Amino acid sequence: MMKSSFAIVILLATSILWCSNAWAVTLQQAKSSGWVGEQTNGYLGVVVDTPATQQLVLSVNAKRKQYYQAIANRNHITLDTVAKLAAQKAIAAADTGHIIQTPQGEWLTK
């Protein structure tokens, strides 16, 4: 089952590579498909490396960093502290089947 799921992900990722200019991948689509995952540092990570997922991750992470910085400034704490707290919440809130990062840096399906 895992091999067939992986093959489907690769096939879909390849399809996105060919038509990435035609449409953008949404965050929900990318999470549900296992193309991106929540990292322990509070930011989204690329699991299946395609131009579409890279672009999505860059965009989402830039927004997250701005949001984290605003929270850090309001509370007089570091950006890193906010990001790590956000990571704990995001990993805990990830849906079953979504990809999360372990403290050892490995990707795991929740």
Side-chain angles (χ1 to χ4, degrees):
M1 172 93 175
M2 186 66 166
K3 286 185 180 182
S4 64
S5 296
F6 184 73
I8 291 169
V9 168
I10 295 299
L11 179 61
L12 291 172
T14 304
S15 298
I16 288 174
L17 178 64
W18 288 105
C19 62
S20 62
N21 292 333
W23 57 277
V25 176
T26 68
L27 179 57
Q28 249 343 82
Q29 288 170 328
K31 283 184 173 186
S32 296
S33 299
W35 300 334
V36 299
E38 291 294 343
Q39 299 182 114
T40 57
N41 65 1
Y43 296 96
L44 199 61
V46 173
V47 177
V48 178
D49 194 8
T50 68
T53 55
Q54 287 177 12
Q55 182 177 10
L56 176 67
V57 166
L58 286 173
S59 174
V60 168
N61 286 344
K63 292 173 187 171
R64 285 185 180 188
K65 186 174 183 178
Q66 284 182 321
Y67 183 66
Y68 296 164
Q69 189 63 62
I71 293 170
N73 292 345
R74 275 197 313 270
N75 293 286
H76 308 289
I77 57 178
T78 67
L79 173 67
D80 189 50
T81 298
V82 174
K84 285 183 180 176
L85 290 170
Q88 292 171 0
K89 287 185 176 187
I91 289 170
D95 291 342
T96 300
H98 285 189
I99 305 295
I100 57 172
Q101 189 179 52
T102 67
Q104 295 76 29
E106 297 173 3
W107 292 118
L108 174 73
T109 302
K110 186 171 178 185

